[in-house]
Amino acid sequence: MTNDQNGTLSQPTQHIALRKAAVGVAVLIGLHLPASTLAQSKIDAQRPNVVIILADNLGYGELGVYGGGILRGAPTPRIDKLASEGLRLLNFNVEAQCSPSRSALMTGRFSIRSGTYAVPVGGQADGMTLWEVTIAELLQKQGYATGMWGKWHLGSAEARLPTGQGFDEWYGIPRTYDEVLWTAQNETQGLWPSLGDRQGWNPNIAAAEPIFEARAGAKPRQVATLTLDARRTMEANITSHAVDFIKRNAADGKPFFAYVSSSMVHMPVLPNPEFAGKTGNGDWADCLAEMDYRAGQILDAIKDAGVEDNTVVIFASDNGPEATNPWQGDSGPWRGTYFTATEGSLRAPFIVRWPGRIPAGRVSNEIVHIVDMLPTLAHVGGAPVPNDRPIDGVDQLDFFEGKQEQSNREGFPAYVADRLSAVKWRNWKMHFIWQENMYDAPITLAEPKVINLLTDLKEERDVAVKVGWVAMPMMKILTDWEASLKKYPPIKMGTPDPYKP
């Protein structure tokens, strides 16, 4: 097989029907860049450290530098300062759900390729096959220490946990935080009506979410259960594990990859007792304040360890805002929530800092996608990108470093689960399926709806009749994708290991 970086994503069963009306995105072109030679103390001098802080369902409009902060009840000074020290993207795009975005981050592949295109329903086989190659595995082979803390959501079977996918150590939960609501269903002291112990949650039927500690090569050890009290202290525990990892490896002079999978601000949005009531503006604002403080603790650990100048720090979100009452988030100037193909779902905060390499204070509206992280960070760490499978991500290092003003990506397809719902190309968007809120029914449009994203941030005005020319560069992508799909059939959701294409 060869590395197909021209492939953009489409729904296999729906694509033929949509093709005549659909519009694709511009061809995604890979960029080959020289490996970094930045000095590191003691050992592995060419290898900079990489720290990713991935917020959970943090909408575009929450952080101060994205128009939120005090407007949402709490300033975010540490994250805002981080933005002033690096590059802030206004058009960083993710997939529509948690598992798809996290899979795309780890593999550089759109999630429909790897059978991770939707959050699994309880009882389903879940996660990535072990055939997938993660960024952790790539960096681990280059001598990096690799650690992850927080929600994984890419496989709950023991073999598919993070320590089976390239991470040396992990603390966190295999699935997701809303499962904590199960344990509160029989609560009689709360505001919500109890379901009763006869029809409410029963741990003998569906076990409570475990909290694990794990090391590569050893059996994961359950250290707690995700109760409401544990949910409130999760962010503090994630942060303390990450800080310890950074200090240990910096002291040893070993390059490290730290994936901090933040629990904020996934529903239920519950602050640590130390932050409850701190802002006076409710749980959401208290959690925003806590998230900023925890990010600051990680940034302080990097600085105190003496590796700040040789560490790439990324702060981003995996999805658009929460849609469930009473924990709704904010999408800023955009429309919609996650689990849709609206801009409120697709655009997420993204900040990257690398002192001396990435210019400080730069802001860009160029398109970048979460799949681009694997090839970009692989180059940062001197790792080769897999060439035996299609990689959808493109290397963005030259763009990040300011060597060019344009991103190496002009667009991408937007999937909601396995439904090709929209396509973005430059500042244009075409919807095939319309859905504004995750709880709305998706409606297949009789004709595609075309939006000018510079003049219509709320995606209200269809201009398809006026701008039919935009179909030309997009249609080529659909043709290229059909060829890619035929050559590289996607992995079906629930496929067991061992898998070989």
Side-chain angles (χ1 to χ4, degrees), residues 59 81 148 169 213 215 268 279-280 289 368 415 450 469:
K81 184 175 185 295
M148 185 207 160
E169 59 185 79
E213 279 189 350
R215 297 272 178 170
T279 67
V368 174
Y415 271 69
V450 177
W469 62 270

Side-chain angles (χ1 to χ4, degrees), residues 234-310:
M234 197 71 190
E235 193 70 3
N237 290 332
I238 289 169
T239 303
S240 65
H241 279 79
V243 166
D244 175 69
F245 174 86
I246 290 167
K247 289 180 178 179
R248 276 189 281 117
N249 287 287
D252 291 342
K254 187 175 179 65
F256 58 82
F257 170 49
Y259 174 28
V260 186
S261 180
S262 171
S263 69
M264 299 295 182
V265 283
H266 193 288
M267 62 171 280
V269 183
L270 302 173
N272 187 288
E274 295 178 3
F275 284 83
K278 185 173 183 179
T279 67
N281 291 318
D283 284 352
W284 186 278
D286 292 343
C287 283
L288 195 60
E290 182 181 359
M291 181 184 69
D292 187 73
Y293 176 78
R294 303 301 179 196
Q297 288 183 299
I298 293 167
L299 296 172
D300 288 344
I302 295 168
K303 183 175 183 178
D304 294 345
V307 295
E308 185 177 58
D309 289 344
N310 196 34

Side-chain angles (χ1 to χ4, degrees), residues 166-432:
F167 288 98
D168 298 326
E169 59 185 79
W170 169 57
Y171 164 87
I173 59 173
R175 295 186 297 275
T176 186
Y177 291 104
D178 46 286
E179 291 187 18
V180 74
L181 297 174
W182 303 353
T183 64
Q185 288 184 1
N186 295 333
E187 173 62 53
T188 59
Q189 303 300 316
L191 292 176
W192 290 2
S194 168
L195 289 181
D197 58 10
R198 291 191 178 185
Q199 63 176 2
W201 171 73
N202 185 328
N204 295 321
I205 297 174
E209 179 97 29
I211 300 174
F212 285 123
E213 279 189 350
R215 297 272 178 170
K219 187 175 180 64
R221 182 171 64 94
Q222 183 172 346
V223 294
T225 298
L226 187 67
T227 62
L228 287 173
D229 287 342
R231 172 71 181 94
R232 292 181 185 275
T233 58
M234 197 71 190
E235 193 70 3
N237 290 332
I238 289 169
T239 303
S240 65
H241 279 79
V243 166
D244 175 69
F245 174 86
I246 290 167
K247 289 180 178 179
R248 276 189 281 117
N249 287 287
D252 291 342
K254 187 175 179 65
F256 58 82
F257 170 49
Y259 174 28
V260 186
S261 180
S262 171
S263 69
M264 299 295 182
V265 283
H266 193 288
M267 62 171 280
V269 183
L270 302 173
N272 187 288
E274 295 178 3
F275 284 83
K278 185 173 183 179
T279 67
N281 291 318
D283 284 352
W284 186 278
D286 292 343
C287 283
L288 195 60
E290 182 181 359
M291 181 184 69
D292 187 73
Y293 176 78
R294 303 301 179 196
Q297 288 183 299
I298 293 167
L299 296 172
D300 288 344
I302 295 168
K303 183 175 183 178
D304 294 345
V307 295
E308 185 177 58
D309 289 344
N310 196 34
T311 301
V312 180
V313 176
I314 292 172
F315 182 96
S317 177
D318 68 339
N319 287 126
E322 287 283 2
T324 304
N325 182 58
W327 302 293
Q328 293 95 330
D330 188 82
S331 57
W334 312 108
R335 183 174 189 168
T337 71
Y338 70 162
F339 281 71
T340 76
T342 59
E343 288 299 283
S345 174
L346 302 181
R347 293 206 197 201
F350 180 94
I351 297 162
V352 57
R353 182 188 76 183
W354 190 2
R357 295 292 293 266
I358 293 177
R362 185 166 166 235
V363 180
S364 176
N365 191 42
E366 288 287 297
I367 293 176
V368 174
H369 196 281
I370 196 168
V371 292
D372 298 339
M373 294 305 100
L374 180 134
T376 303
L377 295 177
H379 256 126
V380 166
V385 174
N387 61 6
D388 64 341
R389 65 200 65 203
I391 299 294
D392 300 297
V394 296
D395 194 317
Q396 299 284 10
L397 191 57
D398 266 1
F399 168 60
F400 285 178
E401 291 186 324
K403 296 176 182 177
Q404 62 190 55
E405 288 299 315
Q406 289 75 39
S407 162
N408 291 311
R409 172 184 297 281
E410 288 194 312
F412 64 94
Y415 271 69
V416 179
D418 58 351
R419 303 185 299 274
L420 175 62
S421 296
V423 169
K424 284 179 67 170
W425 177 75
R426 297 185 180 177
N427 288 307
W428 300 99
K429 177 114 164 261
M430 175 171 277
H431 288 275
F432 313 127

Side-chain angles (χ1 to χ4, degrees), residues 115-116 118-128 154-157 160 492-497:
T116 55
V119 172
V121 178
Q124 282 184 298
D126 62 334
M128 301 184 300
L154 292 175
S156 55
R160 291 186 176 184
K492 294 181 180 180
M493 193 170 183
T495 296
D497 291 307

